[in-house]
């Protein structure tokens, strides 16, 4: 162990969003203008199961816009699953770009553990 | 001989914890920076014992053995 970093996930990568939607068997995300309860926003719209409005990813600032009315218009668990799958896919994509191999393992508490082999130790 | 790995735990709500293993000194930061930057904003960092070891120190230890 050398250092440990905690990260607040930001959604900035179109390819990883698409991959997360495929993993969750969601419709393909749509770039454009999306209606929320309060107005219209532009970005990458993701359709979550049972959600009244799409979750809109602003890939420039990494933030999400959505109206789920405290869970009444869409369950938080679906958004959490999307974010988890996005983070997993983003790590895999970035690691492969660098030529590293990645293994994925599901943990009992619902977390996913990814191990990136950086090499150099052989 | 230890292998160098970066371990990422993604929690059920999408937050991540990145831990480097098998690195010496500050090279761990360089190794995992690409993943940290890809994921988002760093909220906390803990440096482990190995971080403060340098290549020079390691060499001295070996020579002293």
């Amino acid at each position: 162990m050398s250092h440990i970093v905690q990260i607040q996930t930001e959604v900035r990568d179109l390819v990883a969003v698409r991959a997360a939607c495929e993993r969750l068997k969601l419709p393909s995300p749509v770039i454009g203008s999306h209606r929320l309860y309060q107005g219209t926003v532009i970005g990458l719209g993701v359709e979550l199961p049972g959600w009244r409005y799409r979750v809109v990813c602003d890939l420039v600032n990494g933030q999400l816009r959505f109206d789920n009315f405290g869970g009444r218009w869409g369950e938080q668990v679906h958004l959490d699953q999307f974010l988890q799958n996005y983070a997993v896919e983003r790590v895999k994509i970035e690691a492969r770009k660098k030529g590293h191999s990645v293994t994925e393992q599901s943990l009992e508490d619902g977390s996913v553990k990814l191990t990136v082999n950086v090499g150099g130790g052989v | 001989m230890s292998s160098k790995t970066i371990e990422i735990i993604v929690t059920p709500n999408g937050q991540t914890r990145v831990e480097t293993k098998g690195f010496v000194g500050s090279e761990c930061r360089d190794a995992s920076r690409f993943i940290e930057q890809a994921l988002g904003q760093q909220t906390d960092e803990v440096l482990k014992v190995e971080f403060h070891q340098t290549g020079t120190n390691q060499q001295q230890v070996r020579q002293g053995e």
Side-chain angles (χ1 to χ4, degrees):
Chain A
M1 283 182 279
S2 305
H3 81 307
I4 301 172
V5 175
Q6 308 272 357
I7 297 166
Q8 176 78 34
T9 303
E10 293 176 346
V11 178
R12 293 177 183 270
D13 186 71
L14 173 63
V15 179
V17 171
R18 281 194 180 133
C21 289
E22 278 176 24
R23 278 170 72 108
L24 292 167
K25 300 188 173 15
L26 302 176
S28 296
V30 179
I31 296 173
S33 163
H34 304 279
R35 182 162 150 55
L36 298 180
Y37 177 70
Q38 287 190 319
T40 301
V41 290
I42 293 170
L44 182 62
V46 175
E47 212 175 310
L48 297 176
W51 279 54
R52 184 177 294 192
Y53 301 103
R54 286 188 174 127
V55 171
V56 184
C57 314
D58 184 332
L59 301 181
V60 177
N61 66 17
Q63 303 303 304
L64 302 176
R65 295 282 304 277
F66 57 90
D67 276 326
N68 74 335
F69 198 16
R72 272 169 276 189
W73 293 345
E75 290 179 41
Q76 180 70 31
V77 66
H78 293 128
L79 182 57
D80 290 346
Q81 281 172 354
F82 167 70
L83 278 173
Q84 184 184 36
N85 281 273
Y86 169 82
V88 167
E89 287 299 324
R90 186 80 209 260
V91 167
K92 287 163 78 172
I93 290 166
E94 293 303 316
R96 284 176 188 148
K97 274 187 202 165
K98 293 260 181 192
H100 303 321
S101 65
V102 189
T103 54
E104 182 179 335
Q105 185 190 349
S106 296
L107 303 182
E108 279 181 16
D109 69 352
S111 297
V112 175
K113 177 175 154 184
L114 296 159
T115 306
V116 178
N117 286 295
V118 178
V122 182
Chain B
M1 197 169 287
S2 65
S3 63
K4 295 175 181 177
T5 59
I6 307 166
E7 200 175 278
I8 302 104
I9 304 283
V10 188
T11 65
N13 68 1
Q15 301 311 297
T16 54
R17 177 176 177 273
V18 178
E19 183 171 341
T20 53
K21 295 186 172 181
F23 294 89
V24 174
S26 61
E27 68 171 355
C28 61
R29 272 184 168 156
D30 298 332
S32 62
R33 188 176 292 129
F34 76 101
I35 285 180
E36 291 157 20
Q37 287 177 343
L39 285 171
Q41 288 290 322
Q42 181 176 317
T43 58
D44 188 33
E45 182 181 41
V46 178
L47 301 179
K48 310 301 286 186
V49 175
E50 297 94 315
F51 186 85
H52 302 288
Q53 294 176 338
T54 65
T56 311
N57 284 341
Q58 274 214 322
Q59 205 169 10
Q60 284 168 348
V61 170
R62 273 193 223 108
Q63 283 170 347
E65 280 172 353

